[in-house]
Amino acid sequence: MASFLYRLGRLAFRRRRLVALIWVALLALAGFGAASASAATSSSFSVPGTEAQKAFDLLEERFPGGSADGATARVVFKAPSGKKMTDPGPKAEVTGAVAALKSGSGQVASVTDPYTAQAVSKDGSTAYVSVTYKVGSMELTDDTLHALKETGERARSTGLTVETGGDALQAAPETGAGEIIGVVIAGVVLAVTFGSLIAAGLPLLTALVGVGIGISTITALAAVFDLGTTTSTLAMMIGLAVGIDYALFIVSRYRAELTGGREKEEAAGRAAGTAGSAVVFAGLTVVIALVGLAVADIPLLTKMGFAAAGTVVIAVLIALTLIPALLGFAGDRVLGRKARHGKAVSDKTNVGARWARLVLRHPVAVLLVGVVGLGAIAVPAASLEVGLPDDGSQPVSTTQRKAYDLLSDGFGPGFNGPLLVVVDGDRAEADRAVELMRNLDGAAAVTAPTFNKADDTATITVIPKDRPSSLATEDLVHEIRDKSSDNVYVTGATALNTHFSQKMSDALLPYLALVVGLAFLLLMVVFRSVLVPLKAALGFLLSVVAALGAVVAVFQWGWLGSLFGVEQTGPIMSMMPIFMIGVVFGLAMDYEVFLVTRMREAFVHGQRPEEAIVTGFRHSARVVIAAAVIMIAVFAGFIGSSEQMIKMIGFGLAIAVFFDAFIVRMAIVPAVLALLGRRAWWLPRWLDRSLPNVDVEGEQLNKELSQSPGGSDEDRELIPV
């Protein structure tokens, strides 16, 4: 592989104008497609194979036109102190609001009158109007939303307390200036690392090109593949991080080759052949982790994984082609001023080398401190509670949260999470289901069945006694399912969340086995070792569990929540653990490949294991640390998002990269390798013969170059990585 990438790098360097033109054309083409495509909508949420999804599908079939998956809103009215919603004045206002909502937009499917639908609390203080729309929340027009808000404002002016909840108010996630600040920090880190604005600008430029192509493509295909808005945000988050990092490693290697006396084209070829090989395998681990999310069999999660994997593939291709081309334009200006004038200082005693020697002197102490420290941070992960957000998790200042609290006070805490029971049978079957559910301890109320026109399917609403996200409500869902016949299905948002969380938990171990297993084989091919990939996998598990512990402490327990803009604590997103595991595993393997490949290269060329560790840190530590800081800055930029899921994932990925790069890779890895010595690179002979030789460390490339007619004595030496 190194030989192929060497030739590709030299070709891109020579044909730099053509290569740059191709990428600019691809960016323009993707941009045109995005501009011509219809606006992205909220991705349809489905959980195939679950009881809740079967019930939704049955409703679509037996109750056509019922808008089962359309947006909903609840306009909650509370009378002033000393009055009731049944008094003539408040009642007239609510009746007028119902009429206004019915005539306010053609997107309205139905509006319920609280005085005929028994939607007035027992004490008469609170009433609510339910609005169902024909389309999803992201497809509601501005006129429809304006009519909804204006109705509340008009009633509020008469002295009533009016708040609105429901997914109709769901907005596209806003990330604000956070990600821009992340990119600015990345630029500063690159400038400090390289000492050259040209060298610092190249990774930023190519990362933005790659993200532009990726996000534009996702936008262009959003309507076709039902990708939704969150998909592009997550793809941008990951694409920016890996795009900057992969380009950083190629540029860093090119600078090392130039300072080693190589000609510019030769330096570009060698950078692509050596660092480029590491980029390819690092990218493969990320792609495996993201594509592996399909194991969960959740369409939304699968689409997010594939879209993000696509941006990673683009980042790899740009690093291998566009970066060498741009290096051709930049020439030796990627070097700092001192280096260009021959004043570069030797890095034989740099900080990375000194740190490695310190770890080599105290490997046991470093290992114990690292493992115990991360283990302590991981403790909160044992209290992990998963769920999906509802209006109860909104900040207390929002109208959605105020509506949620008004309904809880007026009708009981379970009123915000009603269970919809669908009975596929006749009236006798429905009556038996009602009788069974009325005798359950967790049910506060059970409505009479409502039948379709064919009289063969009924819907029953069950109001739990406890709040939607509670364990008691979850137990009620399971109890109804276990005690009812096979043609009785429990659905609704609360039941769907319960089934979704269960499916996520069931998929976690198979996903870990698939991703870690495939990556283990890949790393075994790269490092020609059994113990190094094993160490890499165990180190990843330690860092990701510690990161989950930090997420639980901040978002579930509320520790330092105000520092990260967490206004309301609650369960961790159901998909958060599996998604974070996938992304962090891929990114953790990036640092493992870039750092340990240098050690493997030195060891292959005759250095002792301890010397190889120092060599690897001398040449890689500063770049890996810079890459980690950049990733942390990019991910942390998304903590400012208005979307709780984006905020949580941004924090989780940022803290996980910090743990993995600075504690696992910089401390635990050299300590373990020091204790293993030569055994770290052990591989059974029969396995060595069976595995393909991908030549990541460039050994075969060195031989080819030294044997070529233009080869020199310098080519016969170890490439100065």
Side-chain angles (χ1 to χ4, degrees), residues 353-422:
R354 290 197 297 271
W355 170 253
R357 292 192 181 99
L358 175 64
V359 174
L360 289 175
R361 288 196 298 269
H362 310 285
V364 176
V366 171
L367 181 61
L368 286 176
V369 171
V371 171
V372 172
L374 290 180
I377 298 172
V379 169
S383 302
L384 175 69
E385 294 179 12
V386 295
L388 289 179
D390 56 20
D391 285 347
S393 62
Q394 295 276 356
V396 293
S397 60
T398 62
T399 185
Q400 297 98 314
R401 175 59 186 273
K402 292 177 181 178
Y404 180 97
D405 292 339
L406 287 175
L407 289 173
S408 294
D409 294 340
F411 297 89
F415 195 80
N416 282 291
L419 306 177
L420 182 63
V421 178
V422 182

Side-chain angles (χ1 to χ4, degrees), residues 628-712:
V629 171
I630 289 168
M631 275 202 180
I632 292 169
V634 171
F635 290 145
F638 289 84
I639 296 176
S641 173
S642 61
E643 179 68 36
Q644 182 81 343
M645 178 178 174
I646 301 297
K647 180 191 294 286
M648 193 179 293
I649 289 179
F651 172 83
L653 293 182
I655 199 72
V657 169
F658 174 80
F659 290 154
D660 195 87
F662 287 93
I663 300 178
V664 174
R665 307 302 153 191
M666 289 289 114
I668 294 178
V669 165
V672 172
L673 290 177
L675 293 173
L676 290 175
R678 289 187 176 273
R679 289 169 294 180
W681 310 108
W682 171 78
L683 186 69
R685 291 185 179 179
W686 63 270
L687 188 56
D688 189 29
R689 291 192 298 267
S690 303
L691 294 176
N693 187 0
V694 294
D695 190 30
V696 174
E697 65 274 359
E699 182 182 12
Q700 187 60 37
L701 175 61
N702 271 342
K703 292 180 180 178
E704 292 179 7
L705 293 176
S706 64
Q707 294 170 2
S708 65
S712 64

Side-chain angles (χ1 to χ4, degrees), residues 325-378:
L326 294 180
L327 289 173
F329 291 110
D332 60 3
R333 285 176 293 176
V334 297
L335 298 174
R337 182 176 300 176
K338 290 183 178 180
R340 288 201 303 271
H341 293 84
K343 298 179 181 179
V345 180
S346 173
D347 63 353
K348 290 184 179 181
T349 58
N350 65 12
V351 175
R354 290 197 297 271
W355 170 253
R357 292 192 181 99
L358 175 64
V359 174
L360 289 175
R361 288 196 298 269
H362 310 285
V364 176
V366 171
L367 181 61
L368 286 176
V369 171
V371 171
V372 172
L374 290 180
I377 298 172

Side-chain angles (χ1 to χ4, degrees), residues 369-525:
V369 171
V371 171
V372 172
L374 290 180
I377 298 172
V379 169
S383 302
L384 175 69
E385 294 179 12
V386 295
L388 289 179
D390 56 20
D391 285 347
S393 62
Q394 295 276 356
V396 293
S397 60
T398 62
T399 185
Q400 297 98 314
R401 175 59 186 273
K402 292 177 181 178
Y404 180 97
D405 292 339
L406 287 175
L407 289 173
S408 294
D409 294 340
F411 297 89
F415 195 80
N416 282 291
L419 306 177
L420 182 63
V421 178
V422 182
V423 181
D424 184 10
D426 56 18
R427 291 185 178 271
E429 182 74 24
D431 290 340
R432 285 194 294 271
V434 169
E435 185 65 25
L436 182 150
M437 289 180 289
R438 281 177 176 167
N439 292 323
L440 298 178
D441 292 337
V446 180
T447 65
T450 301
F451 283 86
N452 64 343
K453 292 182 179 179
D455 220 33
D456 61 354
T457 307
T459 60
I460 304 166
T461 301
V462 180
I463 305 298
K465 289 182 179 179
D466 212 336
R467 67 187 191 280
S469 59
S470 69
L471 292 176
T473 301
E474 184 177 333
D475 291 339
L476 177 62
V477 172
H478 293 307
E479 193 173 7
I480 295 174
R481 185 170 56 186
D482 295 339
K483 293 185 177 181
S484 301
S485 60
D486 292 339
N487 57 342
V488 176
Y489 306 98
V490 187
T491 188
T494 302
L496 188 64
N497 292 353
T498 300
H499 296 158
F500 178 80
S501 299
Q502 184 63 47
K503 192 159 188 175
M504 287 288 94
S505 299
D506 294 342
L508 194 57
L509 287 180
Y511 174 71
L512 270 175
L514 173 69
V515 172
V516 175
L518 288 176
F520 181 86
L521 294 175
L522 187 64
L523 292 177
M524 195 159 55
V525 170

Side-chain angles (χ1 to χ4, degrees), residues 63-327:
F63 290 84
S67 301
D69 55 355
T72 59
R74 275 180 172 174
V75 184
V76 187
F77 301 85
K78 185 176 176 63
S81 178
K83 294 186 178 182
K84 294 184 177 181
M85 292 305 303
T86 52
D87 293 343
K91 185 174 182 178
E93 289 298 330
V94 173
T95 302
V98 170
L101 288 169
K102 286 181 177 179
S103 60
S105 171
Q107 292 184 313
V108 175
S110 64
V111 180
T112 61
D113 187 328
Y115 300 103
T116 59
Q118 298 181 339
V120 181
S121 63
K122 290 182 180 180
D123 61 3
S125 65
T126 309
Y128 69 90
V129 176
S130 292
V131 187
T132 303
Y133 295 93
K134 300 175 183 178
V135 297
S137 58
M138 292 298 175
E139 299 167 85
L140 295 176
T141 63
D142 291 340
D143 290 340
T144 299
L145 294 175
H146 178 72
L148 177 63
K149 295 176 181 178
E150 187 179 24
T151 300
E153 291 172 359
R154 189 182 304 116
R156 191 179 291 115
S157 65
T158 65
L160 296 175
T161 299
V162 186
E163 304 295 346
T164 306
D167 62 1
L169 298 184
Q170 179 181 346
E174 298 177 0
T175 50
E179 67 271 38
I180 298 176
I181 295 174
V183 173
V184 171
I185 293 175
V188 173
V189 172
L190 288 169
V192 172
T193 302
F194 288 138
S196 164
L197 292 179
I198 297 293
L202 289 181
L204 290 176
L205 175 62
T206 55
L208 292 175
V209 170
V211 168
I213 294 173
I215 300 304
S216 297
T217 303
I218 291 172
T219 303
L221 300 176
V224 178
F225 294 105
D226 189 26
L227 297 179
T229 53
T230 304
T231 302
S232 59
T233 305
L234 295 174
M236 177 171 64
M237 180 191 300
I238 296 169
L240 268 177
V242 300
I244 294 173
D245 276 8
Y246 294 166
L248 166 64
F249 287 113
I250 300 290
V251 173
S252 177
R253 185 60 178 251
Y254 175 77
R255 284 161 50 95
E257 296 293 343
L258 281 183
T259 55
R262 308 288 183 191
E263 293 295 327
K264 297 182 182 63
E265 182 178 329
E266 179 69 11
R270 288 176 179 263
T274 50
S277 297
V279 165
V280 169
F281 281 95
L284 274 177
T285 59
V286 181
V287 169
I288 287 173
L290 292 170
V291 172
L293 292 171
V295 170
D297 194 25
I298 304 293
L300 175 63
L301 196 60
T302 301
K303 293 170 187 175
M304 288 165 57
F306 272 84
T311 60
V312 174
V313 171
I314 293 172
V316 171
L317 294 176
I318 283 180
L320 297 177
T321 57
L322 184 57
I323 281 292
L326 294 180
L327 289 173

